[in-house]
Amino acid sequence: MARIARIFEQPKSAMQSGYAGTRDWVLEFAPTERRVADPLMGWIGSGDTEAQVQLRFASREEAVAYAEQRGLAYQVALPHERTLRPKAYADNFRFGRMENWTH
């Protein structure tokens, strides 16, 4: 059974507001075994060591070339388009504001 590698752009962490470290592309393998709880300690784990591997690349083309060079089956997940809406603090106090105050 061939392992399927997933190639995706590193997403923004929920714990940060900036986009630092999100320009990398990551290649990771899909798990082949279920994760189970250890009966003695209760820790969750599996015998699948390749599921722990994450390879980082500067571009999508480098990640695809790596997978093709090694004969890996892969899927590329394209990133969602980021939409930034310009905001200004002064808009909270502008004349003709339609929204009600919340306090």
Side-chain angles (χ1 to χ4, degrees), residues 83-92:
T83 58
L84 298 175
R85 293 182 292 162
K87 299 175 188 174
Y89 180 69
D91 287 341
N92 291 331

Side-chain angles (χ1 to χ4, degrees), residues 4-74:
I4 297 176
R6 186 172 76 118
I7 299 172
F8 60 97
E9 190 175 21
Q10 181 70 31
K12 181 180 85 73
S13 170
M15 303 307 286
Q16 67 184 21
S17 60
Y19 290 98
T22 61
R23 302 293 179 231
D24 292 339
W25 285 80
V26 178
L27 183 141
E28 69 179 11
F29 294 100
T32 58
E33 293 182 11
R34 269 191 45 205
R35 296 177 64 186
V36 295
D38 180 53
L40 180 64
M41 298 298 291
W43 295 339
I44 305 294
S46 74
D48 184 16
T49 58
E50 285 186 349
Q52 300 173 9
V53 176
Q54 281 192 343
L55 301 174
R56 296 183 182 274
F57 298 93
S59 68
R60 177 178 59 198
E61 291 77 20
E62 289 179 17
V64 169
Y66 177 87
E68 289 177 350
Q69 183 181 25
R70 287 170 175 67
L72 300 172
Y74 63 90

